[in-house]
Amino acid sequence: CKNMWALGLVYWLYDRDRKPTNDWLTGRYGKRPEIANSNIAAVNAGHAYGETTELSGEQSYTVLPAKIKPGLYRTVTGIEGLAYGLVQGAQSAELSMTFAGYPITPASALLHTLARLKAFDVTTFQAEDEIAACCVALGASYAGNLGVTASSGPGVALKTEAIGLALAVELPLVIVNVQRAGPSTGLPTKTEQSDLYQSVYGRNADSPLVVVAANSPSDCFYTAIEAVRLATKYMTPVILLADGYMANASEPWAIPDVDTLPHFPVTFRTDPEGFHPFLRDAKTLARVWAKPGTEGLEHRIGGIEKNYDSGDINYEADNHQKMTDTRKAKIDGIANDIPDQTVAVGTEGGELAVIGWGSTYGPISRAVTRLRADGMDVSHIHLRHIWPLPKNLGALLKSYKKVLVPEMNTGQLITVLRDKFLVPAVGLNKVSGQPFKIAEIEDGIREQLG
């Protein structure tokens, strides 16, 4: 009854109708009217308390109906969005999916969710440690499946050598990083955005790969599909960044028509004529993908450098230069296969751009919308593709006099932007384990605009 009393108070505070809840209680406890009546009385008492004490001042808050497109909606969490998106991505690529993971907060729930989706050609495996989980997923990709693994920052650190192997053998692998506060064990149940350095730079040698970031629970679905598309088309590991706040949050999600989603079926190499495992597509530079056991296409791959022209082990200096340059060119070229960066709120060019990534989307968007309504010249840009960056991003940022970068870290995206585009960006940083408040973003904008 205490909870029902609090619910009644909230109903008064936000000017909501109690009748649907009271009707539900009557139906739920139809055979125990004393329970139904006591809970209804508690709801009414909480509402009456709000009326008599006027806790919020002269009037309560009224939340008007949201303006959303008609359709079939359901609630989705970030973890569910990731799981469904990975499954859809595998379906779009016409591949079976193998997910291998090891328990770690807050990424463990992805394994739990996918384990219930075996009907969609999903195999799940709990490994003995993070290294094994990544190697199992990579082995699945070698066998012709979509290999997927997930963890949080400390676990991704353990996976790093295996990710480097995936990069060297050039196999598709999706690594989901549900970020939490660190370093080390840090704050396992708190949120942070501090694994961008780890994702973009955090491997030995020259080892570029793709990094994408979701911005909301429902966007996790579409970002996961994009991660699978890029991994399979370019034969590369892809790191998909989410965070603890996004993973556990929920929002209404318009269930999409599957027929309208991207379809990118994989083509395996079957012709033995002239085959070696590092033959490349002239446009994408992706190597061919041959299933082990295909007659005439027997091959082996490993972490030692390969001959560009045969796939055999090679220690020659010029060959290593060529292979390193080719792997870099393959990832850099992906910038031609991702959308140009757009402005989420506001205009191209002006006084101030607020650029973010990940779960800061909500507070940035709301803060910019509010301040534009007050006449301030501020716009919001939000990144999905972190590496490579959209090819028009540099020119877009330079069309503003100032750039503000809110991040839940001490300034990681800002380092990348300064390095790539030499823009005089300013950071707005928060590392408390808590997401940004709208007011904090508004204060940062006002400070930049004077």
Side-chain angles (χ1 to χ4, degrees):
C1 287
K2 291 181 179 179
N3 291 337
M4 290 295 139
W5 186 92
L7 181 61
L9 178 59
V10 170
Y11 279 171
W12 175 82
L13 186 63
Y14 289 96
D15 193 23
R16 305 297 291 183
D17 186 6
R18 290 164 283 163
K19 188 176 184 302
T21 297
N22 292 344
D23 290 344
W24 179 86
L25 288 167
T26 300
R28 175 67 176 82
Y29 298 104
K31 297 181 180 180
R32 298 290 303 275
E34 70 279 9
I35 296 177
N37 292 335
S38 62
N39 279 279
I40 291 171
V43 171
N44 293 337
H47 194 277
Y49 180 80
E51 287 180 326
T52 55
T53 57
E54 297 183 351
L55 292 178
S56 65
E58 295 182 359
Q59 60 184 15
S60 60
Y61 301 98
T62 299
V63 179
L64 299 175
K67 296 179 180 179
I68 58 175
K69 294 180 180 179
L72 180 62
Y73 285 77
R74 58 154 289 175
T75 298
V76 69
T77 66
I79 289 292
E80 291 171 333
L82 289 170
Y84 301 154
L86 289 168
V87 171
Q88 178 58 51
Q91 298 280 319
S92 295
E94 298 183 2
L95 294 172
S96 300
M97 186 175 90
T98 299
F99 179 93
Y102 181 77
I104 182 170
T105 303
S108 303
L110 189 54
L111 174 60
H112 305 161
T113 304
L114 287 170
R116 297 193 293 267
L117 301 177
K118 295 175 182 174
F120 297 96
D121 204 10
V122 176
T123 299
T124 52
F125 176 76
Q126 181 175 317
E128 64 266 31
D129 56 45
E130 297 281 8
I131 301 170
C134 195
C135 289
V136 167
L138 182 57
S141 288
Y142 178 61
N145 287 5
L146 173 66
V148 182
T149 188
S151 190
S152 299
V156 174
L158 293 170
K159 297 179 189 290
T160 299
E161 185 178 3
I163 296 172
L165 176 60
L167 195 149
V169 299
E170 298 185 57
L171 282 169
L173 176 68
V174 178
I175 306 105
V176 180
N177 183 347
V178 187
Q179 301 163 98
R180 70 188 203 186
S184 186
T185 309
L187 305 175
T189 61
K190 301 299 181 181
T191 195
E192 209 163 272
Q193 289 183 299
S194 54
D195 293 344
L196 187 144
Y197 282 164
Q198 180 188 49
S199 302
V200 175
Y201 304 122
R203 291 161 297 283
N204 65 296
D206 288 297
S207 49
L209 48 67
V210 178
V211 182
V212 294
N215 66 44
S216 71
S218 60
D219 187 58
C220 283
F221 175 80
Y222 298 99
T223 306
I225 295 174
E226 175 70 348
V228 176
R229 183 185 76 87
L230 294 175
T232 54
K233 182 174 182 178
Y234 292 91
M235 296 291 284
T236 179
V238 174
I239 293 179
L240 197 174
L241 293 172
D243 61 52
Y245 173 66
M246 186 192 312
N248 295 310
S250 62
E251 66 177 341
W253 174 47
I255 300 175
D257 179 356
V258 174
D259 293 334
T260 66
L261 296 174
H263 191 62
F264 39 86
V266 165
T267 301
F268 289 98
R269 173 80 178 206
T270 57
D271 182 7
E273 182 68 28
F275 169 77
H276 72 79
F278 285 86
L279 287 172
R280 297 183 183 276
D281 181 281
K283 182 178 180 180
T284 66
L285 297 180
R287 77 168 182 88
V288 295
W289 194 1
K291 289 186 180 181
T294 304
E295 186 175 356
L297 276 68
E298 295 83 359
H299 65 281
R300 62 181 181 180
I301 54 177
I304 299 178
E305 187 61 280
K306 315 299 184 302
N307 185 297
Y308 184 90
D309 296 312
S310 69
D312 296 334
I313 290 174
N314 187 290
Y315 266 73
E316 295 176 2
D318 290 345
N319 179 76
H320 181 56
Q321 180 79 51
K322 186 173 185 178
M323 288 294 281
T324 301
D325 290 344
T326 300
R327 288 188 289 261
K328 180 179 185 300
K330 180 177 73 170
I331 300 303
D332 289 346
I334 293 173
N336 298 315
D337 193 22
I338 60 177
D340 282 350
Q341 184 62 49
T342 59
V343 179
V345 179
T347 61
E348 294 188 10
E351 286 291 326
L352 176 65
V354 183
I355 181 169
W357 64 280
S359 66
T360 57
Y361 181 90
I364 294 176
S365 177
R366 189 60 180 158
V368 169
T369 300
R370 283 182 177 181
L371 295 184
R372 285 185 62 82
D374 290 341
M376 295 189 181
D377 187 2
V378 57
S379 300
H380 174 202
I381 299 169
H382 216 78
L383 299 179
R384 168 179 284 176
H385 296 90
I386 304 294
W387 200 266
L389 291 162
K391 59 184 179 181
N392 71 321
L393 181 60
L396 179 60
L397 292 178
K398 290 176 181 178
S399 68
Y400 298 92
K401 293 181 180 179
K402 294 183 178 181
V403 176
L404 180 66
V405 187
E407 295 184 86
M408 291 186 288
N409 56 48
T410 57
Q412 296 191 15
L413 177 62
I414 194 172
T415 300
V416 176
L417 296 178
R418 287 171 174 171
D419 171 48
K420 293 295 292 182
F421 306 123
L422 299 177
V423 292
V426 176
L428 177 61
N429 305 108
K430 180 176 183 178
V431 194
S432 65
Q434 300 291 334
F436 274 104
K437 296 178 180 178
I438 297 170
E440 292 170 331
I441 306 290
E442 289 180 343
D443 289 344
I445 293 171
R446 289 192 180 96
E447 181 178 351
Q448 290 303 309
L449 293 177

